[in-house]
Amino acid sequence: MVDVTNTGKRTGAEVVQLYIRDLVSSVTRPIKELKGFRKVQLEPGESTTVTFNITPAELSFFDVNMKYVVEPGDFEIMVGNSSRDADLTRLILQVTK
């Protein structure tokens, strides 16, 4: 979940982006994978909460044996209005077997 507020004087739109990084995996993975986004329209001064559901589908990948799997370990969840590190709020999701 991330709260978004229009601090301007005009109606505006923002695209909230969800990135996931598998911190330790059996194969090389991208540093940031775009896994979802939501575009919200906000009136001046309006706020809203954007929610993303993280399911096994967002954490899965093809392993060395070409099986679609979710490996146990830590995943960095990043949410923000761009992929720039300074624009992202981060947390760690731990997956266990």
Side-chain angles (χ1 to χ4, degrees), residues 64-76:
V64 69
N65 298 313
M66 297 307 292
K67 291 183 182 175
Y68 205 56
V69 298
V70 176
E71 292 181 340
D74 292 340
F75 292 80
E76 185 175 27

Side-chain angles (χ1 to χ4, degrees), residues 4-59:
V4 180
T5 301
N6 181 351
T7 59
K9 296 181 180 181
R10 297 182 181 184
T11 300
E14 183 65 85
V15 178
V16 181
Q17 303 168 25
L18 168 69
Y19 294 91
I20 297 180
R21 177 181 185 190
D22 189 344
L23 296 176
V24 179
S25 66
S26 61
V27 297
T28 303
R29 304 287 313 278
I31 292 173
K32 289 179 189 148
E33 271 186 284
L34 179 64
K35 292 294 190 168
F37 62 91
R38 303 276 189 283
K39 185 175 184 178
V40 293
Q41 191 86 4
L42 297 170
E43 297 297 323
E46 183 182 7
S47 295
T48 190
T49 300
V50 177
T51 303
F52 294 99
N53 292 321
I54 299 173
T55 67
E58 283 77 36
L59 305 176

